[in-house]
Amino acid sequence: MATLEFIARSGASVTAYGSMEEMWAASPDLTGFGFSLNDDWYTISDSKSNLDERIVADGAYEVVRDWRSQLPLSFSCWYRGKTRAAVRAARNQVNAILGGGGMVTVRFTDQDEVTERDVSIRSAKPDDDRGQLAFRFNVISAAPDPHRYGAEQVFSGIGVPSSGGGLLFPLGTNRTTGLVDASAPYWDFGADGTSGRVALTNDGTTDAFPSIEVYGGLSAGFVIRDQTSGKEVRFERAIPVGSVVTIDQRTGVAIIDGQCDVSGYITSWDFFSIGPGETHIIQFSPLGTVSGTPTATLRFQSAYVG
């Protein structure tokens, strides 16, 4: 069964089901949210690149690239409850999520995949229920980024690169079994080192940009390097223990502790994307001295056109 979720930044959500009208007809006591998509979800948004007519020849000049505009999305939804109190609570829940003022994540699940978009709610109008136990509401929204995105992959706890031993050298065998096992004597050359690297794979159909989070303490900042493409993002500012810097590579904005814009401390703006079907190796390296246990987290979603 297809589902449609509206998820506010607070985490509050409403889930609607795609076959509810048919199910209600068969089961009059069934309650909950239902929806129809209005065929927008897999649409490719309009091109915003101009076509310039040729003055003394037929046709127009070729477009170097068709850049895509925002994507309007509309949804027809409804709710049915068992009591008037349930109907009022459902309407209040919908209004709180859709009218909260922030971007809303819309996640659509069908028989093939789960994809989502962040949207701006342009309008949401519930019909007058006239005292009944059901109501309808139409949602008009726009996705500033027209691409669809798969489930978020979170690669957390990427440590500062460090050397290590990582070897056990056997000195003999188990006296009883004659085998080299855990009870046999050995030299322990220390724990494994850490590479500070992670592999990201884009299973989608268009370029996708990983987002970056780096946790302090770092006295002079950090470098995140795409070893596959050679591109790197360099941030040169102290990050105290307990603070975190987030960089959105798609917009080029850096924020510290979710409050202050520190984009001016990015000294290498060579933002990297991962192409469709590609796997890239990403390296985290500190600048200056290290205090505490600084780590990096990469958040990544495969991206799809239309």
Side-chain angles (χ1 to χ4, degrees):
M1 179 187 299
T3 61
L4 182 71
E5 299 173 74
F6 296 96
I7 308 168
R9 287 293 180 262
S10 65
S13 66
V14 162
T15 301
Y17 297 87
S19 303
M20 287 298 285
E21 281 191 315
E22 294 84 353
M23 294 171 66
W24 282 341
S27 304
D29 293 333
L30 188 66
T31 61
F33 289 94
F35 78 94
S36 62
L37 270 178
N38 294 350
D39 300 324
D40 293 335
W41 191 251
Y42 295 105
T43 298
I44 298 174
S45 64
D46 295 340
S47 172
K48 58 184 179 183
S49 301
N50 291 328
L51 275 174
D52 296 321
E53 293 292 335
R54 302 177 67 183
I55 303 301
V56 292
D58 294 331
Y61 293 103
E62 290 186 0
V63 174
V64 176
R65 172 162 180 172
D66 277 313
W67 294 103
R68 296 293 162 188
S69 65
Q70 62 179 309
L71 179 65
L73 293 167
S74 60
F75 312 96
S76 296
C77 305
W78 49 89
Y79 173 82
R80 187 170 74 177
K82 290 185 177 181
T83 65
R84 286 297 302 163
V87 171
R88 288 194 302 272
R91 183 186 289 108
N92 289 339
Q93 182 184 17
V94 168
N95 287 348
I97 292 172
L98 301 183
M103 297 288 285
V104 173
T105 298
V106 178
R107 181 177 298 147
F108 176 56
T109 304
D110 61 14
Q111 64 271 24
D112 298 318
E113 60 187 2
V114 180
T115 52
E116 62 186 41
R117 289 183 171 99
D118 286 344
V119 305
S120 167
I121 303 298
R122 311 313 296 168
S123 69
K125 183 180 179 181
D127 292 342
D128 184 358
D129 58 51
R130 301 183 182 276
Q132 303 300 309
L133 297 181
F135 66 91
R136 294 180 178 272
F137 58 100
N138 295 314
V139 180
I140 306 299
S141 68
D145 179 354
H147 297 143
R148 293 179 295 118
Y149 290 91
E152 184 179 60
Q153 305 170 57
V154 180
F155 300 85
S156 59
I158 305 169
V160 172
S162 63
S163 60
L167 295 176
L168 299 178
F169 186 81
L171 298 177
T173 60
N174 184 303
R175 293 181 180 180
T176 303
T177 64
L179 300 176
V180 178
D181 57 23
S183 65
Y186 59 86
W187 282 110
D188 185 348
F189 287 91
D192 292 343
T194 57
S195 67
R197 295 184 177 185
V198 67
L200 304 183
T201 299
N202 181 8
D203 294 321
T205 58
T206 190
D207 291 352
F209 291 84
S211 66
I212 300 167
E213 298 174 7
V214 175
Y215 297 80
L218 298 165
S219 68
F222 61 87
V223 175
I224 299 290
R225 180 179 174 84
D226 183 343
Q227 298 290 103
T228 305
S229 68
K231 296 182 176 181
E232 69 177 31
V233 177
R234 190 179 185 93
F235 182 87
E236 297 191 49
R237 179 194 187 277
I239 307 173
V241 174
S243 288
V244 56
V245 170
T246 302
I247 299 179
D248 184 335
Q249 290 199 97
R250 185 175 173 273
T251 62
V253 174
I255 302 293
I256 188 167
D257 296 333
Q259 299 177 0
C260 299
D261 189 326
V262 288
S263 305
Y265 293 96
I266 300 176
T267 57
S268 173
W269 297 72
D270 205 7
F271 299 124
F272 54 86
S273 62
I274 299 175
E278 295 179 354
T279 297
H280 288 207
I281 304 300
I282 312 302
Q283 172 78 55
F284 166 51
S285 301
L287 296 175
T289 59
V290 170
S291 59
T293 310
T295 62
T297 294
L298 296 180
R299 298 180 183 273
F300 181 72
Q301 292 174 280
S302 296
Y304 301 84
V305 175

